Structures are given as structure tokens and as C-alpha cells.
Amino acid sequence: MSFSVLFHPSEQTIISYAGETLYGAAKRNGLFFQNACGGLGTCGKCMVKIKEAGVIKEVLACKYKILADIEVFSQSFFDYSERIYLTDEILPCSCEDSLLAVKDISFSEYSFSNFVSRLESSISSIKDPDLDFIRSVAELPLESIKAVLTFGDYPCLPIQDKTGLSVGVMDLGTTAIKCSLIDLSEKRVKARGTVLNAQCVFGSDITARIEASKSYLTEMSELVWNVSLSLFRNMADKTDLAFPSLLFFAGNTVMTHIFYKVSPISIRKIPSVAPASLFPMYRRDKLSVFSVPSIAGYVGGDIVSGMAFCNFCGGESLTMLIDLGTNGEIALGGSDWSAVCSASAGPAFEGGGIKCGMGAFKGAIDKFFISPAGKIEFSTVSGDPSGICAGGLVSLISGLFAAGFVDKKGRFTDSAPFVSKVGVASRMTLFSSSQGEVFIDEEDISCFIRAKAAIYAGAESLLASFGFSWSDLDAIYIAGNIAEHVSIEDFWRIGLLPPLDKTKFKMIGNSSLLGCENMLFSRRLFNKALELAKTSFYVDLSSDPNFMERWTAALFLPHTDENLFKR
Ligand code: FES
């Protein structure tokens, strides 16, 4: 027996089997409900309004079994649409320092063994060309090979036609995949793009992904591979560049292991040991793939890439990098040393763990404007509002606090507008339509305060581990998607960062992607990344007896004195 499920406002109809969950039926038809728990029924993010036999009610899509024809009022599906921006940014490069080179090769006699031996002699440091590379050479008519693309003196691609040669760079995040397409001959970034990490259907945080990898490792790897290749293909079409020959990427340690189809399960077990730090050059679908090494189970190549980009250990200054992603990693560097920690902030900085939270994709509210009179306005990344991304959450909580609508503990005050009681939690409605409402409740605010307190306490603990305090820092780099949407005053007001001299703070956006782009044409920077990965101290905050005390002390919204921000 089967039933029809009509979705509004898309007016799409799917057929479900009797007893199938709404979540499962939608998934089978390519519609993925937003979720943080992977369909376990614990996150509440798949709550939808349905109409059954004329009665409208709210249900959890992952728990609701379809036993009649129904209508569903929801637009809260994961959005896999790509966003691509064309650009024309020249990358700093000197020919001697470049990691990438296209080496011309000429043949007097064409034979496979001759080719390999010539390759060995033309690229002096090559002793043993990678077997996959040799296999790919063997597939081509040798007379058609004009050159070899090398990466750090390692041959990675035989080239038949040098026209429009491109290289792809990727930041592999738990929530989003961000890519750049680089014109190799001009050494320019021609396009940047972003797409949701399709593994989100397995849950929003690292823990859920590790659990899912026990059963779906190959599928999870394929999901990332397919969406990133599709993004590169569309960027190449838009720029008239060839599909990339090399993919160079950085990601957190768990995402990187899943990408290579290596089980990350040991990372979840104490003492969180990752099976590998540096993976060898890899061939997949005729694409050469190489990634930035990681430091520890919860400090990945994305942080190493960011540290290299911020020129850690490149001078006398004391520098901190805070990456506000799904976990919240922090790095600290002096003139000849560096240290890292993971603040275990959870997924709140990617919109996870918040009932109406979402990544910075279509429909995400990324900025709120709250007047003291209680007027609430906002902007979205694009389209009609369907949720709040992390940037929106920071500006919302900061704005509500500044206007006196939430107190220091994050509870709504009597003057707060649009507040109602739903169950035990007070909820503020920010937007409503026939498809549902976008709201924030006191549990969400509390979840966010716990996350920001973890970052603050983590950074303070890392500083204290080496005898420093906040005021000793010369530069504080804030990285992550959120850094593209939020002002430093908002961070100060909610107490994620202390109100120090404003010139010390630098919002740098996606430092992982920027680091990879710059490393391609700088052997010095690449070598620095390798060195940082090898030598950075890993500070385990779970064994720091003062971390919990600092975290508890940071569980409030601290600053209402606006004069503090005028310095
Ligand atoms: Fe349904 Fe999490 S509660 S997906």
C-alpha cells in the first residue's frame, strides 16, 4: 500500500510506502530534511507541519510514520545548490618558489621505459614515480604527452594540452565545502564556489559523522567527491578553464580521513589518535589529489593551512588564530614555536544544535538589525528566510542583549517583543509564514552561550599554558564563515573575545582555503605548513584542570557598556 505526500510550497508530490517515515520517504526521493542527528530523533530540526485528514499538526519527520495521504508544509530541506563567484585575484608568486610547475618533456624515441627514465632525470628529486602516475602515463599515447605537471617536484599529471590548465583548491569542512579554481598559467584565482557538504544527511557534527562512518565510509567519501567535482566542473564551465588537473585541499582530520576512505573511528576513542597525519599523493578519476597534513585528531590540515597563511613563526610577535567552524580550533604562535587546541565548541558556529540554525546557505538569515523600540529586521544570504546561520545568531544575540531584550544569562526580559511560552522554553518569533516560523528560544541562546564560552575559555587556557594572557597578544586572526558576517563589536558584546585594541583583530574569512591557494605558488609556505604540522604542541584541554573553571566563568553575556567599544 502506498500514500501520496504533497509538499508545500514546492507543490511536489512523492509516493511513500505504508509505515515509511516521512524523513525516509523524502530522502528516497532526493529531499533531505535539515537535521543535526542524522534522523535519530534527538535534534528536533526536522519538525514540520503536516495536514492529515484535515487536521494540521507538528511532527518530527524522522519519527512520523506515513499511514495516510498527507500534505507537508516545509521548506527546511538541505539546499545543495552551488554558489559560484567569478573573480580575478592574482596570487603572490615567484617562479623559483612555486610548488607547481609544468615541465616540458621532449622525446627522441617513444617507449614507456624511456619516458619514465627521462622523467626521472628531468625532475631530479624523483626516485620512484608513483605507481598510479605511471599507470596513467601508460594509458596515454606517449607522443601526445607534451609536459608534466609537478607538485613539489612530484610528478602528478602527464599533460597533452597546456591550454587553460587549472588547479582546484578546496577547504573540506564538516558543513560546507569551499573551492577555488586557479588558472595555472596566469596564477590567478578565477572562481570561488561553495556547496553544502552532502554528508550533512548523516548529522551535523563530527561525532555523528564518525558514528555514521562505521557503516557508510565509502558512501560518505563518494558524497563529498561527487559534490566537489560537480562544483569544479561548473566553475570550469563558467570560466572557460579546463577541469582541474590537481586537487589540493585542507580539511579537519575526520573529514580528511573519510575523504580518503580511511576509518576515523580511533579519533573518537581516548586518546583521540588519528590513523594518519599526512596522506600520500592520490589518484582518483584521473585527478591527482594532495592534502595538507593534520596535527591531531581534532586539529586538522585546515588549521595548519590557516597558520601558514597567518605567517605563524614568521616574526617576533605573539599571534593567535581562532577558527570558528564546527568545532572551534585555536592556534597560538611565537617566534619559533606554535601550539594548538580544540575547544569542543560543538556545531553552533555552523548553525548546528540550534533549532532554526543552519549553514550560511540559501534562506539563512545572516544579519539582524534590532532597534531599541523592538523592531526586528534582517538580511538573508539569499531567498526567503528559513533559518539562522552562525553570523545571524551572533548579531541576533548581540542585538537583543544591547537592546535589553535578553539579560546577561541569555533569558528574555519582560520588555522583549514577540515572545511566547512553548512548553518550558520561552520563544521569540523572528519571522513567520504559512511554511512555519523562524524563532529562537532560551535553550538555543543557552546552547550558543556554552559554545562561545568554550572558545573564550579554550583561548585563555591555551595562553595560560605558556604563561601568557590576552593582553600579551600582538595579533588575533578570526577565521571561518562567521568572520565574513559579524563585526568585532558583536564578538566583544557577547564575550567571545575580550575588548582589546581593535587594531589587533583581523577577520580573515576562510584561512584554510586562502592558505592552500597561497601554498600552491610558495614552496616556502608549503614547507612551513609541513613544519607546523610536525612541530606544533597539542594542548589537550580536557586534561587542563582550569579549563572548566574558565568555561563556567564565561557562561554569560558580559558587555553592555558601549564606551568599551570606542577605544
Ligand atoms: Fe529528526 Fe533530528 S530529530 S532528524
Side-chain angles (χ1 to χ4, degrees):
M1 198 169 178
S2 59
F3 298 103
S4 80
V5 181
L6 170 61
F7 288 93
H8 301 292
S10 65
E11 307 313 315
Q12 184 178 354
T13 301
I14 64 169
I15 301 298
S16 113
Y17 308 119
E20 193 175 16
T21 63
L22 175 55
Y23 183 96
K27 188 173 169 187
R28 197 168 42 73
N29 285 275
L31 297 171
F32 298 98
F33 279 103
Q34 294 212 19
N35 74 84
C37 68
L40 295 176
T42 55
C43 70
K45 290 178 81 106
C46 66
M47 181 76 78
V48 284
K49 265 189 202 159
I50 66 159
K51 188 170 171 188
E52 182 183 340
V55 178
I56 293 183
K57 54 186 170 184
E58 281 195 334
V59 298
L60 285 180
C62 67
K63 290 289 163 201
Y64 176 76
K65 291 194 174 148
I66 302 170
L67 296 166
D69 292 341
I70 57 169
E71 292 175 55
V72 180
F73 303 89
S74 175
Q75 53 184 12
S76 103
F77 297 111
F78 281 130
D79 173 25
Y80 290 108
S81 53
E82 300 166 348
R83 279 187 291 146
I84 295 176
Y85 309 97
L86 297 184
T87 177
D88 193 24
E89 287 170 36
I90 192 151
L91 289 165
C93 165
S94 76
C95 291
E96 317 77 66
D97 192 32
S98 181
L99 201 61
L100 276 176
V102 178
K103 302 213 171 179
D104 288 314
I105 292 181
S106 59
F107 300 97
S108 49
E109 294 168 35
Y110 300 121
S111 75
F112 182 65
S113 58
N114 176 285
F115 176 82
V116 173
S117 63
R118 276 172 182 273
L119 187 64
E120 284 178 337
S121 59
S122 72
I123 305 168
S124 56
S125 64
I126 301 298
K127 296 284 179 295
D128 182 17
D130 169 74
L131 194 58
D132 280 340
F133 173 75
I134 293 172
R135 284 195 189 114
S136 70
V137 169
E139 282 173 17
L140 294 169
L142 291 184
E143 62 274 22
S144 73
I145 298 175
K146 301 279 185 277
V148 173
L149 172 67
T150 72
F151 176 85
D153 288 339
Y154 191 98
C156 62
L157 194 86
I159 295 168
Q160 295 170 279
D161 181 2
K162 288 197 242 177
T163 320
L165 210 56
S166 78
V167 169
V169 165
M170 175 167 77
D171 168 50
L172 176 51
T174 311
T175 305
I177 294 172
K178 296 210 161 194
C179 298
S180 307
L181 191 67
I182 294 168
D183 182 326
L184 196 51
S185 57
E186 291 189 18
K187 300 176 179 63
R188 287 173 189 266
V189 181
K190 290 294 196 179
R192 289 207 178 88
T194 182
V195 67
L196 187 76
N197 184 332
Q199 291 172 5
C200 282
V201 294
F202 292 103
S204 64
D205 62 21
I206 285 288
T207 308
R209 302 289 175 84
I210 294 176
E211 281 303 308
S213 74
K214 289 177 184 168
S215 310
Y216 301 105
L217 184 62
T218 302
E219 289 86 342
M220 293 168 84
S221 175
E222 296 296 331
L223 280 174
V224 163
W225 184 248
N226 290 336
V227 295
S228 52
L229 254 55
S230 160
L231 182 55
F232 280 123
R233 203 168 290 121
N234 292 331
M235 286 200 288
D237 286 348
K238 281 193 166 36
T239 53
D240 284 333
L241 286 172
F243 185 76
S245 316
L246 169 76
L247 169 60
F248 182 47
F249 80 94
N252 67 53
T253 312
V254 172
M255 287 300 105
T256 304
H257 277 67
I258 294 175
F259 179 93
Y260 287 105
K261 300 184 189 169
V262 175
S263 171
I265 290 168
S266 65
I267 296 173
R268 200 153 172 224
K269 298 179 183 153
I270 292 169
S272 299
V273 176
S277 163
L278 177 63
F279 289 88
M281 179 76 79
Y282 173 71
R283 301 276 301 172
R284 190 164 174 180
D285 294 352
K286 302 198 169 153
L287 192 62
S288 299
V289 181
F290 194 67
S291 56
V292 181
S294 59
I295 295 174
Y298 291 109
V299 185
D302 47 355
I303 303 306
V304 175
S305 183
M307 289 164 78
F309 178 72
C310 297
N311 200 25
F312 265 57
C313 307
E316 290 305 311
S317 60
L318 186 67
T319 304
M320 177 172 274
L321 167 65
I322 301 177
D323 191 351
L324 296 171
T326 307
N327 218 29
E329 295 91 351
I330 304 161
L332 181 67
S335 58
D336 57 359
W337 61 274
S338 57
V340 292
C341 70
S342 170
S344 302
F349 288 101
E350 294 282 4
I354 309 292
K355 292 175 198 73
C356 290
M358 64 183 289
F361 295 97
K362 187 178 171 194
I365 300 175
D366 61 353
K367 182 98 189 148
F368 280 89
F369 309 92
I370 296 164
S371 77
K375 191 170 174 196
I376 297 179
E377 294 176 301
F378 52 77
S379 61
T380 64
V381 171
S382 64
D384 292 332
S386 57
I388 314 169
C389 68
L393 279 168
V394 172
S395 74
L396 174 62
I397 294 169
S398 167
L400 292 174
F401 184 50
F405 299 145
V406 296
D407 63 18
K408 280 178 174 286
K409 290 187 174 166
R411 291 177 306 215
F412 293 119
T413 60
D414 292 341
S415 60
F418 316 118
V419 173
S420 56
K421 200 94 171 160
V422 178
V424 288
S426 290
R427 157 192 296 200
M428 176 182 277
T429 301
L430 304 163
F431 172 80
S432 70
S433 72
S434 57
Q435 272 78 57
E437 58 178 30
V438 178
F439 64 88
I440 188 158
D441 67 21
E442 289 177 342
E443 279 176 1
D444 293 333
I445 299 175
S446 170
C447 171
F448 197 78
I449 289 177
R450 288 196 299 275
K452 73 92 189 172
I455 300 286
Y456 186 91
E460 204 166 70
S461 296
L462 186 60
L463 283 162
S465 302
F466 295 89
F468 295 110
S469 65
W470 285 104
S471 56
D472 293 316
L473 285 165
D474 298 297
I476 306 171
Y477 294 93
I478 315 296
N481 295 335
I482 194 172
E484 294 167 13
H485 300 268
V486 173
S487 72
I488 193 67
E489 286 83 0
D490 284 332
F491 282 138
W492 286 344
R493 197 174 286 116
I494 66 166
L496 190 141
L497 295 165
L500 303 169
D501 176 357
K502 197 169 181 175
T503 59
K504 290 188 177 186
F505 295 93
K506 296 172 183 29
M507 306 285 224
I508 54 172
N510 191 319
S511 62
S512 167
L513 193 71
L514 293 169
C516 284
E517 286 174 1
N518 283 268
M519 269 186 256
L520 282 180
F521 298 108
S522 172
R523 191 177 297 262
R524 181 195 61 80
L525 207 59
F526 178 72
N527 288 339
K528 172 172 274 197
L530 296 179
E531 196 58 26
L532 286 166
K534 258 193 257 168
T535 58
S536 294
F537 297 102
Y538 175 65
V539 176
D540 181 5
L541 293 180
S542 65
S543 59
D544 179 343
N546 297 317
F547 173 73
M548 280 309 288
E549 208 174 296
R550 291 191 182 101
W551 179 74
T552 308
L555 287 173
F556 72 106
L557 302 170
H559 299 303
T560 44
D561 180 4
E562 298 295 311
N563 290 327
L564 216 54
F565 307 154
K566 294 189 181 128
R567 296 188 296 174

